[in-house]
């Protein structure tokens, strides 16, 4: 037995299923792809612009200028290894200091043993300091003066100054 065919009322045609839905979706898909392509193109252009701007600003902030030895007066900057130690008080306080020494150029050639002794001296001094003594601008100034004095004594005048690059008390 054959299945009976359904008769549609007069004036109505049989729909073709998803063809009208597909026709409506094609422009949406094309516009989405166009927008994604334009966004990707714009994003790569912006990334390139941002990278060049950042690199230019970094070069302006720290230009690689050649230093005239006559202007520097024969001084050299030697970085110390980061020093991490606990403080005298409070019991759970720690300090990390990164510093550099300003040395005479002739003393910098054989400064490794001297730098090791200075690092040990700074470490011993920091263990005797409290966190309260390093508070504020006055505390930082006093710390720098104390370190400069100890280093001058230890190096017998070969080290001119200390530059505290970072100081973190935790």
């Amino acid at each position: 037995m054959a299945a009976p065919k359904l008769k549609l009322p007069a004036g109505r045609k049989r729909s073709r299923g998803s063809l009208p839905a597909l026709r409506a979706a094609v422009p949406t898909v094309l516009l989405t792809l166009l927008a994604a392509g334009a966004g990707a193109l714009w994003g790569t252009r912006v990334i390139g612009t941002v990278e060049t701007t950042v690199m230019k600003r970094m070069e302006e902030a720290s230009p690689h200028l050649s230093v005239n030895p006559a202007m520097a007066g024969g001084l050299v900057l030697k970085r110390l290894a980061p020093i991490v130690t606990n403080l005298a008080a409070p019991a759970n306080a720690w300090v990390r200091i990164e510093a550099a020494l300003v040395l005479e150029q002739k003393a910098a050639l054989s400064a490794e043993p001297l730098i090791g002794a200075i690092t040990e001296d700074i470490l011993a001094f920091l263990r005797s300091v409290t966190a309260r003594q390093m508070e504020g601008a006055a505390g930082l100034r006093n710390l720098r003066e104390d370190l400069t004095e100890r280093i001058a004594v230890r190096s017998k005048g070969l080290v001119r100054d200390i530059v505290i690059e970072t100081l973190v008390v935790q």
Side-chain angles (χ1 to χ4, degrees):
M1 205 185 225
K5 288 190 175 182
L6 295 175
K7 291 188 177 183
L8 294 174
R12 288 192 110 195
K13 293 185 179 179
R14 191 178 288 246
S15 69
R16 298 206 168 221
S18 64
L19 187 59
L22 183 63
R23 283 186 182 158
V26 168
T28 306
V29 169
L30 288 176
L31 283 175
T32 302
L33 290 175
L34 182 65
L41 181 65
W42 183 76
T44 55
R45 182 170 171 91
V46 167
I47 287 174
T49 305
V50 169
E51 286 177 350
T52 23
T53 303
V54 167
M55 293 303 284
K56 190 183 300 181
R57 287 193 181 166
M58 286 177 57
E59 288 173 3
E60 289 172 359
S62 61
H64 300 296
L65 300 174
S66 60
V67 178
N68 185 353
M71 297 292 285
L75 299 177
V76 178
L77 195 68
K78 284 280 196 177
R79 291 197 191 303
L80 298 176
I83 300 169
V84 179
T85 187
N86 56 335
L87 296 173
N92 59 351
W94 287 79
V95 65
R96 176 187 165 105
I97 187 170
E98 292 180 17
L101 301 175
V102 180
L103 296 154
E104 295 285 338
Q105 192 169 15
K106 58 185 174 193
L109 298 175
S110 60
E112 293 306 318
L114 178 63
I115 289 175
I118 289 172
T119 302
E120 289 176 10
D121 201 29
I122 292 172
L123 181 70
F125 176 73
L126 288 175
R127 286 185 178 161
S128 68
V129 175
T130 65
R132 184 144 176 98
Q133 290 174 324
M134 290 191 283
E135 283 182 2
L140 183 61
R141 185 185 69 238
N142 291 337
L143 174 69
R144 187 175 174 279
E145 288 173 357
D146 290 342
L147 288 176
T148 303
E149 186 178 316
R150 292 176 76 90
I151 289 169
V153 169
R154 172 67 71 171
S155 69
K156 298 180 178 97
L158 293 177
V159 177
R160 294 284 181 99
D161 202 2
I162 184 169
V163 178
I164 298 175
E165 295 173 347
T166 60
L167 176 72
V168 179
V169 179
Q170 186 175 1

